[in-house]
Amino acid sequence: MIKKYTFGQPLETGAAVQAIAAHSQPFDLMHLAHTQDGICLSCRMDTQDVVYGLGEQMRGINKRGFSYVSYATDDSFHTESRHALYSAHNFLILNRTNGASFGIFIDDPGTVVFDVGETQLDQLVIRAGKDCVIYTIEGNGLKDIVKQFRELIGRSYIPPKWAFGYQQSRWGYACAQDIRNVVQGYHGKNIPLDAVYMDIDYMERFKDFTVDAEKFPDFADFVEEMRGQGIHLVPIIDAGVKIEEGYPVYEEGVKGNYFCKDGDGNDFIGAVWPGRSHFPDVLNADARAWFGGKYRVLIEQGIDGFWNDMNEPAIFYSDQNLKKAMEAILSFKDQNLGLHEFYQMKGLVDGLSNSEEDYKSFYHNMDGVKIRHDQVHNLYGYNMTKAASEAFDQIAPNKRILLFSRSSYIGMHRYGGIWTGDNASWWSHLLLSIQQMPSLNMCGILYTGSDIGGFGGDATEDLLLRWLAFGIFTPLMRNHAAAGTREQEIYQFGHTEDFRNIIRIRYGLLPYLYSEFMKCALNNEMYFRPLAFDYPQDTHAPQVEDQLMVGDSIMIAPVYKQNATGRYVWLPEDMLMVRMKSLEERTCKVVEQGHHYVDIALNEVVFFVKKNHMLPVAALDDDVKNISGIDAGRYEWIGYAEEAAEYVLYEDDGVSKEYTPREDWKRIILAERYLSN
Ligand code: GLC
């Protein structure tokens, strides 16, 4: 049951799609207080209670013991002490052992703080602004609460099927030849690959919707050449538009009044990769239609996928802040800097980027109403992505175009996916990415994944192997790295055959992974789930922070520690352990409910099939190059049927928006007592 409470005069964020009448009774699920800054909700948590949700946030699956701030932030240092990342996903569930569990969604596009037992161990405290809508959801268990929430916020974005293939990216592919070399690197070693990303270097001086003609002569021909080799090119689009006379996007934006304004009514200036830039006012319907329409120029050259970046929006500095900081720094010149002076000076530079002061200094025109940016900060990335998606509906109404964003708010999940931003080549970030996935799914973001191998820092071969062994289960499976780091394409490492085997396992599992993704999207369910969602009676499951259910049939337990040759796995019931050295070389064994130490070598993928469940596995030719090489007629089945196992297989053309109607989903039944191959 969903209840809606309105406080003050909230803005329409578009997060919810279901019309629900405001609840007539006073808010009573948590203690409510009105403070000077807004509202404050609080309640007690018992020791055994678990808090799930908050989407992209840091830390574990159980969010207890820390505070999380919803304030989209471009911060590439994802350490344990960080309170905010790129997105704002204000939905959580308090799962109680004694008493009614409930979900709560705070629809407030400004800063919201979730103190989940940081200040007081047993207190959940939520602070929001005075104008917001709050939805509470009670239901029949965790899955039901999430499903109701997902119905409230609308169907998740569905990408084209090719976007489930393996994808390679790097900040630094500077010209067409660099990209050809990547494709050759993969094809030369017979490793499947479906897409290569084009980071900011493809543009002319980092100007959106331009392609540098020297680095990419005859771009449309190049896109076609790549398509001929089965490769989709995915260019990046940044939020900031370079200020440059003669650059049509800049000139049109100024003329049409499409940019955010400063306090004096001039186009706001902030610097990003291209230097001084303006920011399209994507919260304004006209500006959104204009900016979205710009994607057409790349689509017409054959592009069918994009990633939207820097859309918190990131601001390196503003003119006024830079000037102030420069002057202050100069005042330290020739001084003997002591402790305080030195850190003060250092702070002046560090404080330039993404400053609160800058976010308070510009305005949106939300269809006639002037709104200061900081009050709607978390809606920016969402609306940049909505701009693109709405334009795609015009440009290619029945075609799925790949689209994902760095920043987001609940509601954006209908228009695109997200990736989890600038992580690092750290083992702790492999674990973090495992823990972020179910929380993101709760908030409707199904098409998601992290930069495999880590973005910052140098990936080692073992880290990449382990990360891929997890990444084969994430819908977005993209290896991406920052400029200046060790080259991380898998053919750069010694044991290419091991990498190749893991990637081929992804392609073999793709019929299952795609089928599960689609069913979850169409049924408003979660593709990744914490164990406690499937085994609510299991008292150990709530403590499991490093295993996930993936789709309806399987459980994964990735290795995320360096030099580990295996790991402890908790089995909530008897399961079939599937061990794959390669797609063809696999063994299956029933393992009993309980704790087990499982050896998992660096070149193996191990997963577990639930009792009375099964999954299709595609048989692949040796030279399969991309997902078009998966032959729907050549499935084998892995299953564990004590009585009977049934699998509902979803299939479609993978490109159109005509999704297979439910009654046409195929039911496959295995009646054998126990089956493995
Ligand atoms: C940002 C993005 C990263 C990208 C880089 C350069 O840091 O998060 O993925 O490679 O910008 O465009």
Side-chain angles (χ1 to χ4, degrees):
M1 195 203 355
I2 304 185
K3 291 182 192 159
K4 176 180 174 178
Y5 301 87
T6 302
F7 297 92
Q9 297 193 314
L11 280 166
E12 179 48 70
T13 63
V17 296
Q18 261 179 6
I20 291 178
H23 197 66
S24 52
Q25 305 297 318
F27 187 89
D28 59 2
L29 212 48
M30 295 175 78
H31 176 260
L32 166 72
H34 291 275
T35 68
Q36 226 181 1
D37 307 318
I39 59 167
C40 177
L41 308 173
S42 55
C43 72
R44 220 187 83 78
M45 299 180 287
D46 275 349
T47 320
Q48 301 299 323
D49 293 353
V50 177
V51 173
Y52 294 103
L54 298 179
E56 187 186 46
Q57 275 291 1
M58 291 294 305
R59 301 228 172 183
I61 292 176
N62 182 352
K63 301 314 263 194
R64 284 189 69 162
F66 200 56
S67 289
Y68 308 88
V69 180
S70 285
Y71 199 73
T73 305
D74 167 30
D75 182 342
S76 57
F77 219 56
H78 307 177
T79 58
E80 240 181 275
S81 55
R82 288 303 193 260
H83 296 278
L85 292 179
Y86 309 90
S87 291
H89 301 139
N90 301 339
F91 173 62
L92 61 76
I93 297 181
L94 173 59
N95 197 35
R96 285 181 152 145
T97 37
N98 299 311
S101 303
F102 64 89
I104 183 161
F105 169 43
I106 315 289
D107 192 5
D108 177 348
T111 309
V112 180
V113 178
F114 297 88
D115 183 342
V116 193
E118 184 187 51
T119 308
Q120 281 187 63
L121 206 56
D122 61 352
Q123 288 292 315
L124 168 64
V125 180
I126 304 174
R127 288 192 192 82
K130 64 180 181 3
D131 302 308
C132 63
V133 181
I134 296 183
Y135 297 88
T136 60
I137 309 176
E138 288 166 281
N140 186 18
L142 290 160
K143 282 184 176 175
D144 180 50
I145 293 175
V146 171
K147 197 172 168 108
Q148 290 186 56
F149 175 58
R150 297 272 303 282
E151 281 163 2
L152 172 72
I153 61 173
R155 192 174 77 199
S156 301
Y157 163 76
I158 295 175
K161 193 171 180 185
W162 62 261
F164 289 80
Y166 176 64
Q167 318 187 38
Q168 181 64 56
S169 183
R170 180 177 179 80
W171 177 7
Y173 299 150
C175 59
Q177 193 50 45
D178 282 356
I179 293 180
R180 286 193 187 99
N181 292 345
V182 173
V183 175
Q184 180 48 35
Y186 278 91
H187 286 177
K189 305 264 184 193
N190 220 354
I191 305 166
L193 179 70
D194 271 271
V196 179
Y197 282 68
M198 299 173 66
D199 207 319
I200 48 174
D201 313 276
Y202 79 89
M203 298 182 226
E204 203 185 281
R205 292 188 298 288
F206 308 130
K207 290 186 303 187
D208 277 343
F209 311 112
T210 67
V211 177
D212 188 318
E214 265 179 41
K215 299 174 183 167
F216 292 89
D218 309 315
F219 185 59
D221 291 350
F222 178 60
V223 177
E224 203 182 305
E225 174 192 324
M226 287 296 113
R227 287 294 304 115
Q229 298 194 40
I231 302 295
H232 296 260
L233 293 177
V234 185
I236 196 168
I237 304 291
D238 282 344
V241 170
K242 185 175 176 62
I243 300 175
E244 187 182 278
E245 294 304 324
Y247 166 39
V249 182
Y250 158 72
E251 292 189 340
E252 279 171 34
V254 171
K255 203 163 151 226
N257 258 323
Y258 296 139
F259 294 126
C260 296
K261 303 285 183 194
D262 66 17
D264 299 326
N266 301 314
D267 292 332
F268 170 75
I269 300 174
V272 213
W273 304 123
R276 296 165 81 237
S277 305
H278 291 323
F279 295 86
D281 186 358
V282 286
L283 271 62
N284 174 281
D286 293 338
R288 201 161 59 233
W290 165 74
F291 191 74
K294 297 286 129 202
Y295 287 74
R296 183 187 282 273
V297 67
L298 291 162
I299 293 176
E300 281 175 349
Q301 296 180 78
I303 292 298
D304 53 4
F306 297 90
W307 48 314
N308 282 346
D309 192 21
M310 307 299 275
N311 51 8
E312 294 69 33
I315 299 176
F316 294 166
Y317 62 86
S318 64
D319 279 358
Q320 67 269 20
N321 261 354
L322 184 64
K323 187 160 176 277
K324 265 199 271 172
M326 285 290 191
E327 279 163 11
I329 289 168
L330 282 177
S331 72
F332 291 106
K333 195 169 174 235
D334 302 329
Q335 282 191 34
N336 175 5
L337 303 184
L339 169 76
H340 298 298
E341 297 79 13
F342 174 70
Y343 281 103
Q344 209 184 329
M345 188 196 71
K346 207 163 165 279
L348 286 165
V349 178
D350 293 342
L352 277 176
S353 299
N354 311 317
S355 96
E356 191 65 38
E357 216 180 312
D358 283 340
Y359 289 134
K360 284 186 173 157
S361 76
F362 68 94
Y363 296 83
H364 298 275
N365 171 357
M366 271 181 92
D367 308 321
V369 185
K370 184 176 168 187
I371 295 183
R372 206 173 69 189
H373 174 78
D374 61 311
Q375 290 161 12
V376 285
H377 177 67
N378 295 331
L379 298 183
Y380 194 87
Y382 160 17
N383 280 280
M384 178 187 175
T385 302
K386 183 173 172 188
S389 171
E390 285 175 341
F392 300 165
D393 286 344
Q394 305 279 320
I395 300 167
N398 194 28
K399 183 174 172 175
R400 295 187 223 170
I401 293 183
L402 171 61
L403 180 62
F404 60 91
S405 171
R406 193 169 72 176
S407 184
S408 66
Y409 182 82
I410 286 172
M412 200 209 79
H413 70 287
R414 300 194 298 274
Y415 304 101
I418 69 160
W419 92 102
T420 58
D422 298 346
N423 60 5
S425 299
W426 299 342
W427 290 87
S428 61
H429 278 184
L430 167 51
L431 174 61
L432 175 64
S433 75
I434 296 167
Q435 292 168 328
Q436 284 172 323
M437 292 300 122
S439 314
L440 283 165
N441 278 198
M442 283 174 69
C443 298
I445 295 149
L446 293 188
Y447 188 74
T448 186
S450 299
D451 287 348
I452 291 176
F455 175 75
D458 295 331
T460 54
E461 185 168 347
D462 54 348
L463 177 68
L464 189 56
L465 279 164
R466 293 297 196 196
W467 209 318
L468 284 166
F470 166 62
I472 59 173
F473 297 101
T474 59
L476 167 62
M477 187 191 183
R478 181 180 77 147
N479 175 340
H480 179 50
T485 61
R486 178 178 181 179
E487 290 180 325
Q488 194 168 293
E489 299 80 15
I490 62 181
Y491 54 82
Q492 309 281 6
F493 295 89
H495 298 89
T496 316
E497 199 54 28
D498 291 341
F499 285 103
R500 177 174 179 267
N501 284 336
I502 294 179
I503 307 277
R504 278 174 59 84
I505 293 172
R506 159 71 165 208
Y507 283 76
L509 293 177
L510 237 155
Y512 171 74
L513 301 176
Y514 182 71
S515 167
E516 292 304 301
F517 178 95
M518 290 301 296
K519 286 186 285 179
C520 290
L522 298 170
N523 291 332
N524 293 314
E525 283 163 2
M526 290 164 70
Y527 167 93
F528 282 120
R529 297 173 308 283
L531 268 49
F533 280 55
D534 282 39
Y535 299 96
Q537 306 307 334
D538 178 353
T539 51
H540 189 69
Q543 292 186 44
V544 180
E545 284 277 339
D546 55 2
Q547 299 175 208
L548 296 175
M549 311 308 302
V550 184
D552 197 32
S553 298
I554 69 178
M555 179 185 83
I556 58 169
V559 177
Y560 54 89
K561 289 188 179 156
Q562 190 157 32
N563 301 322
T565 54
R567 54 161 290 170
Y568 282 96
V569 180
W570 168 248
L571 262 60
E573 62 174 336
D574 297 357
M575 290 187 178
L576 182 74
M577 181 168 77
V578 182
R579 179 181 293 280
M580 291 185 168
K581 274 211 159 38
S582 69
L583 190 58
E584 294 75 24
E585 224 182 313
R586 55 179 191 250
T587 57
C588 299
K589 178 179 148 198
V590 172
V591 183
E592 279 179 8
Q593 190 242 9
H595 287 284
H596 297 271
Y597 186 84
V598 179
D599 292 314
I600 307 172
L602 260 182
N603 60 354
E604 282 181 325
V605 172
V606 171
F607 61 88
F608 302 84
V609 183
K610 288 165 77 175
K611 195 187 282 186
N612 295 326
H613 283 74
M614 57 196 246
L615 66 147
V617 181
L620 300 182
D621 289 339
D622 191 54
D623 61 352
V624 125
K625 293 217 162 34
N626 53 56
I627 65 152
S628 70
I630 301 172
D631 178 352
R634 287 172 58 203
Y635 295 154
E636 295 164 2
W637 293 89
I638 297 180
Y640 172 28
E642 213 169 60
E643 290 120 34
E646 178 186 91
Y647 187 76
V648 177
L649 182 67
Y650 176 93
E651 288 174 317
D652 64 16
D653 66 14
V655 283
S656 79
K657 292 180 179 170
E658 278 138 30
Y659 309 115
T660 313
R662 238 164 265 225
E663 55 280 11
D664 293 349
W665 296 357
K666 290 183 197 158
R667 282 179 186 276
I668 294 109
I669 295 173
L670 292 186
E672 281 97 318
R673 195 184 120 66
Y674 151 62
L675 187 134
S676 65
N677 60 11

